[in-house]
Amino acid sequence: MADAGFPRMPARVFTALLASDSGRLTAAELADTLRISPAAVSGAVRFLGQVNLVTREREAGSRRDRYWVHDDAWYEASVHRDRELVRWESSLREGIEALGPDTPAGARLAESLAFFGFMREELPALLGRWHDRREQLRTELTQPQDAGHPPTRAQDASSASR
């Protein structure tokens, strides 16, 4: 994740949460697991919350916060991306107006504006297809395998190609 441009500490915290069986850890558990300071955990979960990948909840009867990864973390983050696209489009329109649509810089901004408009138009359909695929995947994962017989390589390959 860090190699793809995600900040290093949020990437580590997100990975720790994602890799935990429950998907939920306290700040102390994260600090202990990753051998980082509570301040580093705090900054990382703040960032992850802003990009809609992690939610904070209070443990019942405790002052401890527990952080958890949404079951559909990437889906949720993508849904919220629409708001950012609208903001970027607005800024690009202002830039085109300031620079002039007939200038080379204005033309570059106009192409960027067209790209973000395209993304906003296509994203709902793409996310809808993912929602359908996810439901199919969850159904397949919850169906019991042949009693005592692990899936064959052909079954594994068939599943992987879907």
Side-chain angles (χ1 to χ4, degrees):
M1 290 179 73
D3 288 346
F6 210 80
R8 185 174 171 267
M9 197 55 63
R12 291 183 67 203
V13 168
F14 182 72
T15 301
L17 287 165
L18 198 58
S20 72
D21 284 339
S22 68
R24 289 165 158 50
L25 296 170
T26 65
E29 291 167 334
L30 284 165
D32 186 52
T33 298
L34 298 172
R35 297 183 184 159
I36 59 176
S37 72
V41 171
S42 177
V45 294
R46 184 174 35 257
F47 175 86
L48 293 167
Q50 290 170 346
V51 296
N52 301 299
L53 290 175
V54 169
T55 297
R56 178 178 64 171
E57 65 186 4
R58 183 71 48 148
E59 281 186 349
S62 171
R63 295 180 63 193
R64 285 187 175 188
D65 289 327
R66 182 171 296 274
Y67 301 95
W68 58 278
V69 175
H70 302 272
D71 286 340
D72 300 319
W74 296 114
Y75 176 86
E76 290 296 324
S78 297
V79 166
H80 294 289
R81 190 71 54 205
D82 187 57
R83 281 186 246 145
E84 290 177 33
L85 293 175
V86 169
R87 263 197 317 264
W88 291 344
E89 286 180 71
S90 176
S91 295
L92 287 166
R93 280 189 193 90
E94 290 175 15
I96 293 166
E97 186 177 316
L99 297 170
D102 298 331
T103 65
R108 278 193 305 276
L109 292 182
E111 187 172 320
S112 295
L113 177 61
F115 172 78
F116 289 122
F118 175 81
M119 291 297 293
R120 260 190 346 105
E121 289 171 10
E122 295 295 320
L123 194 56
L126 179 65
L127 293 174
R129 287 195 311 274
W130 165 247
H131 180 74
D132 294 344
R133 170 86 52 91
R134 182 194 64 208
E135 292 308 312
Q136 177 186 0
L137 177 65
R138 287 179 177 175
T139 299
E140 290 171 2
L141 291 174
T142 59
Q143 291 176 352
Q145 294 291 329
D146 242 354
H149 300 286
T152 66
R153 286 183 191 231
Q155 288 169 327
D156 284 344
S158 173
S159 296
S161 68
R162 285 187 223 147

